[in-house]
Amino acid sequence: MSKKNNKTKKNKKNIEILGFGDIPENEKSIWRIDYFGKRKVVDADTYLIRTYIDNKGLATDFKKNTKKFKLASIEFKRRLYLQIKLSPSSKRLFLRKIKKKYTLDKIKKKIDTMSIEKIEKMYFILLKNQKLKKSRKK
C-alpha cells in the first residue's frame, strides 16, 4: 500500500505568541498582573507592528486599507508626535520643514492630515538629525 500524504493546511489562528494568548482584540490596552506588579499590555498585532517598525520597516510596505497598514500608520503618527514633543531640536527642524509655526495641539492635527509617505520621511529625518544631550563626564 502507498502512503497517504496529508495535505491539510495548518490553522494559523490557533497559533499564539507567548504572553498574548488571553488578550482580546477589541481592547486596545489593558492592565495585567505579573510577578512585578501591574503593567500595561498591548495586543499581539500592535506588538508585532512595533517590532517591525523598530527594525526600519515602513507602513507603505503593507497593502493599503488593511489592518496592518492602519496599525503601522497609527504607530508612525504616534512616534512622530512623541519625537517632536520630547525633543526641542526635532521640533525646530519639523517647523522649519513645514515653514509655519504651530503649537503642539496644532502639530497633532497637522500630522493627521499629512500623507503616510511624508510622515515616514519626516520621522526618519528627525531621528537622523536628533541632537542628544552631551554628558559632562568623560
Side-chain angles (χ1 to χ4, degrees):
M1 285 191 136
S2 64
K3 274 188 172 180
K4 253 188 182 181
N5 289 338
N6 191 0
K7 294 184 180 181
T8 57
K9 291 184 179 179
K10 281 186 179 179
N11 190 358
K12 292 185 179 181
K13 291 182 181 179
N14 293 338
I15 298 172
E16 293 179 0
I17 301 171
L18 289 175
F20 295 104
D22 56 345
I23 300 173
E25 285 186 17
N26 57 0
E27 294 185 35
K28 298 291 180 193
S29 58
I30 48 180
W31 293 92
R32 293 286 175 199
I33 298 172
D34 60 1
Y35 295 115
F36 305 110
K38 283 187 176 181
R39 62 187 170 98
K40 211 171 195 178
V41 178
V42 293
D43 61 321
D45 294 334
T46 308
Y47 174 76
L48 291 174
I49 291 293
R50 284 183 182 175
T51 54
Y52 181 74
I53 292 173
D54 286 340
N55 295 325
K56 302 259 182 171
L58 301 174
T60 52
D61 293 343
F62 302 111
K63 291 181 182 176
K64 285 196 173 187
N65 299 327
T66 58
K67 187 178 178 184
K68 288 183 179 181
F69 178 80
K70 289 175 184 173
L71 286 173
S73 60
I74 288 169
E75 182 65 22
F76 265 108
K77 289 176 184 178
R78 185 186 75 83
R79 287 179 182 218
L80 180 61
Y81 178 71
L82 285 176
Q83 181 69 25
I84 292 167
K85 182 180 175 184
L86 299 177
S87 174
S89 62
S90 294
K91 184 177 180 181
R92 282 192 299 272
L93 184 60
F94 179 77
L95 294 175
R96 201 177 312 139
K97 290 278 186 186
I98 292 181
K99 299 177 183 172
K100 288 188 179 179
K101 288 192 176 181
Y102 288 106
T103 60
L104 276 177
D105 297 332
K106 297 215 176 186
I107 285 175
K108 192 158 193 161
K109 289 178 186 173
K110 179 69 178 172
I111 289 172
D112 287 338
T113 59
M114 289 170 67
S115 68
I116 190 63
E117 291 86 6
K118 274 189 177 180
I119 291 172
E120 289 170 350
K121 271 187 193 174
M122 186 67 67
Y123 177 67
F124 288 122
I125 288 171
L126 293 182
L127 281 184
K128 185 179 175 186
N129 295 328
Q130 182 183 10
K131 295 176 183 172
L132 298 173
K133 291 182 180 178
K134 295 178 182 176
S135 63
R136 294 173 187 254
K137 295 178 184 178
K138 290 186 178 181

